Amino acid sequence: MFMADIAGVRVLYTGDYSREEDCHLCAAEIPQFSLYFNSEKMAKTIRRLAEKTLEVGESVSGLLVKKAFTCQIMALDDLHVFSQLSTENISQRITIAYNGAFGVLKHRLKHIFESVESLPDEESEGPAFRVHERLTVKYESEKHISLHWRSDPISDMVSDSVIISILLILILITSYC
């Protein structure tokens, strides 16, 4: 199908490749028109977030779900009700071979990180400290330390940098011996 201009007359040609004669239709007069779209979006709060009436200017925190042409904001705990997705907290632990003094490790990490705080022995079952309130470093034995953290992007970055720092400290210790 295509539009042809024959002797000043616009003709729509529809060739259907059959044995019937080709059909020629004159172009219809179509008036000009314009479309206007409203760019405002509306999202409805559902389940737990809908229990409280919000005031003008008050913010809401939740998970935005777009389905078809509707937007809904829900609490993260309500996600399993509307989908087959589930949310979990992942606790990670890594054990590193470390034969240096635990106090030296804490002292070096204090120079690298802003927040390094000792933990009471009752809470951690032995010497331990916390880095940036996210990562716990525990003294396991004379040859091992362990790192514990809840997985999220920031905690993972902190743990990666602490692991690299520990490995660099081990390189310094072995190069001086």
Side-chain angles (χ1 to χ4, degrees), residues 91-104:
S91 296
Q92 294 195 30
R93 176 183 177 186
I94 186 169
T95 302
I96 300 173
Y98 181 78
N99 56 0
F102 192 67
V104 171

Side-chain angles (χ1 to χ4, degrees), residues 18 20 34 50 121 126 135 141-142 163 177:
S18 67
E20 297 178 15
S34 299
D121 287 343
L135 173 83
S141 69
E142 291 181 3
I163 291 169
C177 295

Side-chain angles (χ1 to χ4, degrees), residues 130-136 148-150 152 154-155 158:
R130 187 176 299 271
V131 178
H132 284 292
E133 299 178 0
R134 295 182 173 273
L135 173 83
T136 304
H148 305 261
W149 70 96
R150 285 200 131 170
D152 64 58
I154 295 175
S155 296
V158 170

Side-chain angles (χ1 to χ4, degrees), residues 2 5 11 46 52 56 61 69 72 74 77 84 91 100 102 119 123 129-131 134-135 137 140 144 149:
F2 62 90
D5 193 356
V11 176
I46 54 175
K52 179 184 170 195
V56 175
S61 178
F69 293 100
Q72 299 173 333
M74 68 178 73
D77 298 335
Q84 295 177 351
S91 296
F102 192 67
L119 293 176
E123 185 180 320
F129 57 88
R130 187 176 299 271
V131 178
R134 295 182 173 273
L135 173 83
V137 181
E140 297 290 337
H144 297 94
W149 70 96

Side-chain angles (χ1 to χ4, degrees), residues 17 23 28 61 71 95 98 151:
Y17 307 108
C23 179
S61 178
C71 296
T95 302
Y98 181 78
S151 186

Side-chain angles (χ1 to χ4, degrees), residues 98 100-111 129 169 173:
Y98 181 78
F102 192 67
V104 171
L105 174 64
K106 181 179 174 187
H107 177 73
R108 300 249 179 176
L109 290 177
K110 272 187 179 181
H111 288 286
F129 57 88
I169 290 169
I173 289 172

Side-chain angles (χ1 to χ4, degrees), residues 63 78-87:
L63 184 65
D78 294 334
L79 181 61
H80 70 282
V81 175
F82 294 96
S83 70
Q84 295 177 351
L85 299 174
S86 63
T87 58

